[in-house]
Amino acid sequence: MRTELSRRLGMECALFGFTPFPAVAAAISRAGGLGVLGAVRYRDPGELARDLDWLDAHTDGRPYGLDVVMPAASAAGAAGVTEADVEALIPAGHRRFVTDTLARHGVPPLPEGERTRWRITGWLEDVARTQLDVAFDHPLALVANALGPPPRDVIDRAHRHGTLVAALAGSARHARRHAEAGVDIVVAQGYEAGGHTGEIATMVLTPEVVRAVDPLPVLAAGGIGSGEQVVAALALGAQGVWLGSVWLTTEEAALRSRALTAKLLAAGSGDTVRSRALTGKPARQLRTAWTDAWDDPAGPGPLPMPLQGLLVAEALTRIQEHEVEALLGTPVGQVVGTMTAVRPVRAVVDDLTRGFERAVARLNRVAGDP
């Protein structure tokens, strides 16, 4: 399961694993892939520096990366906008809708002194730049941007640091734009994926992107959770796969909410919805009473990014803290239907590797038939 790109990065297998959990990222790298830590949840540079120091000490010298969010434009329409500036743009009617929805489901307030864990400050470019100031003090193999290519000066800085730059794309048109901007790797993220996605399924999108950006390497993402699907991605021209959802139910993830873990393990592939309820951009997540409320035409509808994320941050923390089952959800892809047990990261990687070997053997038998 090695490709030209994985060899270039010193990986044993072409598995790129996105996760918000440092322990998962480290375990993916130790297992032979490349763990990519999501930075969007970090409030201040000190927290990120602490976790990157931990990764340096727990990856056994294996490569790892960081995923940041640098939107193409701010909500206020100008660079340098602050979180306070953005919050001031949230309409009072939307705030009342959040309050009424929580009250209807009996969600208590946060305990005294409890911090808002879901505070989504990382949607602002200035925050992402501060995160990268910290990150480039560490031996990053990869920096990925979840919302298209980073600004040119960020790409140049990464290259001076010896770090490759990846950007996610939901269409061939976006992928070509990424290539023109100077990124090194394009992640073709299909409709099935958890989190922000476009309208095109992975099976269609991957070869379109491969053709659009050749000779740049492409990673396939969305709906991939088995070794057989990894083989399919490579057959479509990808040089690896980008996996996110499959790590949510690993032992290293240690989700605080047992109720959320139970919901993930019980969910089928049809139990997700692509909704703007979380961030303001379409993102695949578990379908809940919370997503239903925001998608109801009778409601006010979600705000654009990053307003929606700031609006619902405290509400999401309250829902999670009190494990209000009807409202409890998380970004996750359609592959959730295959996530039926809590397992270590190493077991997930071993299953992917064995499935890959089985699929290659099967294809070799087919190719050998007269």
Side-chain angles (χ1 to χ4, degrees), residues 90-100 294 299-304 308 311:
I90 297 174
H94 280 73
R95 294 188 185 278
R96 284 195 301 273
F97 181 77
V98 170
T99 300
D100 292 346
W294 282 104
L303 296 168
Q308 182 71 11
L311 169 66

Side-chain angles (χ1 to χ4, degrees), residues 288-305:
T288 65
W290 179 258
T291 62
D292 286 347
W294 282 104
D295 295 338
D296 187 341
L303 296 168
M305 177 185 280

Side-chain angles (χ1 to χ4, degrees), residues 100-116:
D100 292 346
T101 302
L102 295 177
R104 189 161 59 250
H105 289 273
V107 183
L110 290 176
E112 182 104 20
E114 173 68 39
R115 295 172 58 183
T116 303

Side-chain angles (χ1 to χ4, degrees), residues 124-211:
L124 304 177
E125 181 179 327
D126 287 355
V127 174
R129 287 182 176 276
T130 301
Q131 291 169 342
L132 289 173
D133 288 340
V134 169
F136 285 131
D137 287 334
H138 298 264
L140 293 182
L142 178 75
V143 167
N145 188 32
L147 292 177
R152 183 73 221 194
D153 68 293
V154 173
I155 295 175
D156 291 342
R157 184 181 182 188
H159 289 165
R160 289 195 300 271
H161 191 70
T163 302
L164 296 183
V165 179
L168 276 66
S171 72
R173 176 172 56 87
H174 292 155
R176 280 190 289 268
R177 190 179 304 157
H178 299 356
E180 291 166 0
V183 305
D184 305 291
I185 302 165
V186 176
V187 182
Q189 177 154 286
Y191 177 81
E192 307 96 321
H196 298 116
T197 75
E199 303 281 352
I200 306 171
T202 305
M203 180 66 74
V204 175
L205 178 66
T206 302
E208 287 186 353
V209 171
V210 169
R211 288 191 296 268

Side-chain angles (χ1 to χ4, degrees), residues 101-102 105-108 110 117-118 248 255-267 271-273 277-278 284-294 312-332 336:
T101 302
L102 295 177
H105 289 273
V107 183
L110 290 176
R117 293 190 300 276
W118 280 85
L248 287 174
L255 289 178
R256 286 186 55 170
S257 171
R258 292 184 180 180
L260 180 55
T261 299
K263 289 187 76 169
L264 288 169
L265 296 177
D271 292 328
T272 67
V273 64
L278 183 62
R284 187 169 297 283
Q285 56 204 279
L286 281 179
R287 181 177 181 178
T288 65
W290 179 258
T291 62
D292 286 347
W294 282 104
V312 303
E314 181 178 336
L316 295 177
T317 298
R318 288 169 60 183
I319 291 166
Q320 188 180 78
E321 178 68 30
H322 298 288
E323 298 195 329
V324 182
E325 198 276 340
L327 302 177
L328 194 61
T330 187
V332 69
V336 69

Side-chain angles (χ1 to χ4, degrees), residues 6-64:
S6 67
R7 292 187 183 95
R8 180 181 179 184
L9 287 167
M11 303 161 62
E12 293 178 12
C13 52
L15 302 176
F16 294 73
F18 167 80
T19 175
F21 306 108
V24 175
I28 293 168
S29 292
R30 291 196 306 270
L34 191 144
V36 182
L37 180 66
V40 73
R41 70 184 180 86
Y42 286 92
R43 298 165 177 271
D44 62 64
E47 290 184 49
L48 179 59
R50 178 202 64 205
D51 282 354
L52 291 177
D53 286 341
W54 187 92
L55 277 169
D56 291 342
H58 290 85
T59 49
D60 295 344
R62 303 293 181 88
Y64 71 89

